[in-house]
Structures are given as C-alpha cells and as structure tokens.
Amino acid sequence: MGNFLVWAVWVVAAFACLGSGIAVITFSNPFYSALALIGNLGSLAVLYLLLSAEFVAAAQVLIYAGAVMVMFLFVIAYLGGRADAPWAGGPSWQTVGAVAAAGALLVEIILAIGLKAGGSLSRANISEAFGSPAAIGKAFLTDHLLAFEITSIVLLVAAIGGVVLGSYARRRHWGAAKPPVGDSRPVESVHGVPPADRSAL
Amino acid sequence: MKGPDIAAYLVIAAVLFVTGAAGVLIRRSPLIILLSLEIMLNGGNLALIAMARHQGGLGGQIFALAVMAVAASEVVVGLGLIVAMARRHLELDVDKLSTLRG
C-alpha cells in the first residue's frame, strides 16, 4: 500500500513537473509562463520530498517559488506583461533547429543514463536524519564551509550588481528626459532631485 | 517504502533540462529565456538530489542549495538588465539586441 502511494505521488508530481515545464515555454503571455513555473517548482519540491531531501524541498518552496518568482512577477507586471507571438506564421527554421537540437541532447543524455546509471535506488544506507535541517547545517558548517562562505560572496556581488544596474538605468533615463531649467550647474543628482533641493532631504 | 528507481528521476531531470534548453533556443523574449534557464537549473538540481539519495551522502544536497543561491543571483542580475533595457525603451527581443553598445 505504501509502495503504491509513493508511486502515485511520484507519477502525479513528475507529470505535473513536465507539463508545467512545457507550459512555461509555450505560453505567449509571460505572466502565465511565470505562474506555470511556480507550479513546476512546487511539483519539484514534492519530488525532493520523495528523495528525502526535506530541507531542500522547504528551501525550494520558500526561496524559489516564493521570493524569486515574486520578483519575476513584479518585473513582468512592471513591464506590462506584453505578449509576444512566438508561434505566429508557422515554425521558423530556428524553431525547427532548436527542437531538433533539444531532441538530440535528450537522446544523448538518456543513452548516457541508460548505459551508466542503471540500477535501483539503494534504500538501505541512509539514516533517519538524512536531509534534515540539522544534518544539512552540520554539513554546511563543517565539511562544506568554503562553499558556504563563497555563496555569501556570490550573493553580495549579485546584490551590488542589481543596485548598480538599477541606479545606472535611472540616472541615464531621467537625466535625458528632464534637463535642468534655469540652472547652469550640471546635473549631479542620481535620484532626479535637483542639487538645490538636496539639502531638504 | 519503495518508490521509483534512480533512473526514473534522472530521466525526469533530463527531460526538464532539455525542455529548458528548447525554451532558451526558441523564445525571443528575455523574460521567457530567464524562466527557461530556471527550468534548466532545476533539472540539474533534481539530478543532484537523486544522486545524493542514491549515494547516501549529503554533498549533492549541499550542491543543490549552492545552485539555488546562484540561480537567485542570476535572476537579480538578469531582471536588472531587463528593467534597464525597458527603461531605455529598447525592444525586448534578443534577436534585435545583437550589439551591446549603448
């Protein structure tokens, strides 16, 4: 009975995962694509739970399906959700080539898996605490401390990059749109506030 | 409790990766390309976690968490670029953004 339940959950999660993945790349409206990707990440979290990776499943739901996708949806809403027409006018040679290349890649990977990684999932050699937050935290802070610290540096650099990109776009855009009137000094402000008003801030 | 074999998970991971790769190659909107990149990264993550379960070690799960952090960073920079493009009234089509000159 338990075996049947695991199989049923696996089949449902796997097909939801694949179906929503196809949906992401076929919807013409990016808003629907982002919503389908949330479904994809949620069904992947179910697969992670079946692989006894509880902490990674929780992080997947919190970070990916929560934070990252909310940021995506904010940007799509900011850009107005303009729909392109990817399938207009029949398949182009680029589409045909892309699908052929993807199919070739799939065949190659499946062959490699079938030749190398066959065999059943070994169920015996993991303990009850495998994949729990305590085990993950201990592994992170002992064996994989360097990876942990480098991850923090990567996140810091990405945050700085996001701020720099945002402020650069704002300065160029507003500086071109609103030249100062009656002020001979060059515009130094970053936030669109004239230099004389900056003392009020 | 006995579920599917490791090969079943790896096939799902491979199909996810290929789906994302096809999306990156077919679609022209940079937003959809970023979403397809997320699918590719998640295919890799699923393979890593299946292998961690197969081997009985935690290294694969640690790697998957690091991939998650890298994906979040990539989304920050990619969305920043897309917003910068939209603010300068450039068309959001990667075929028409063939030069990176200001």
Side-chain angles (χ1 to χ4, degrees), chain A residues 3 6 10 25 27 37 41 44 48 51-52 56 60 64 79 84 98 102 119-120 122-123 126 136 151 158 173, chain B residues 1-4 6 9 14 18 25 27 32 35 38 42 45 49 53-54 61 68-69 71 73 75-76 86-87 89:
Chain A
N3 193 9
V6 171
W10 184 83
I25 69 167
F27 278 139
L37 186 57
L41 300 173
L44 267 174
Y48 293 170
L51 288 166
S52 52
V56 183
Q60 171 97 355
Y64 251 127
L79 297 179
D84 55 351
S120 66
S122 52
R123 293 276 165 185
I126 62 165
I136 293 279
T151 300
H173 180 63
Chain B
M1 187 173 95
K2 187 159 164 42
I6 174 95
Y9 288 100
V18 169
L25 290 173
R27 300 301 297 267
I32 308 284
L35 291 174
E38 298 294 319
N42 275 295
N45 260 355
I49 289 176
R53 178 67 184 76
H54 187 56
Q61 296 192 13
M68 246 181 239
S73 315
V75 164
V76 166
R87 277 174 186 271
H89 305 292

Side-chain angles (χ1 to χ4, degrees), chain A residues 20-184:
Chain A
S20 55
I22 303 273
V24 169
I25 69 167
T26 50
F27 278 139
S28 62
N29 192 337
F31 204 81
Y32 294 149
S33 289
L35 290 182
L37 186 57
I38 293 179
N40 188 2
L41 300 173
S43 48
L44 267 174
V46 174
L47 288 182
Y48 293 170
L49 279 181
L50 286 181
L51 288 166
S52 52
E54 292 94 2
F55 180 73
V56 183
Q60 171 97 355
V61 171
L62 283 176
I63 297 174
Y64 251 127
V68 170
M69 292 315 295
V70 164
M71 202 159 67
F72 255 112
L73 289 175
F74 267 139
V75 169
I76 290 170
Y78 171 74
L79 297 179
R82 50 188 102 174
D84 55 351
W87 318 119
S92 64
W93 64 269
Q94 277 181 326
T95 310
V96 174
V99 171
L105 193 60
L106 181 64
V107 169
E108 196 175 347
I109 296 174
I110 297 285
L111 280 182
I113 290 172
L115 292 182
K116 296 282 181 194
S120 66
L121 203 52
S122 52
R123 293 276 165 185
N125 54 0
I126 62 165
S127 65
E128 193 69 26
F130 183 78
S132 68
I136 293 279
K138 196 174 175 190
F140 246 140
L141 292 178
T142 53
D143 291 343
H144 301 278
L145 187 60
L146 184 64
F148 188 68
E149 298 296 337
I150 289 177
T151 300
S152 68
I153 293 176
V154 168
L155 286 174
L156 177 69
V157 170
I160 294 173
V163 170
V164 168
L165 275 173
S167 69
Y168 178 74
R170 192 162 41 194
R171 184 170 62 232
R172 291 297 295 265
H173 180 63
W174 285 11
K178 290 201 282 186
V181 180
D183 189 350
S184 62

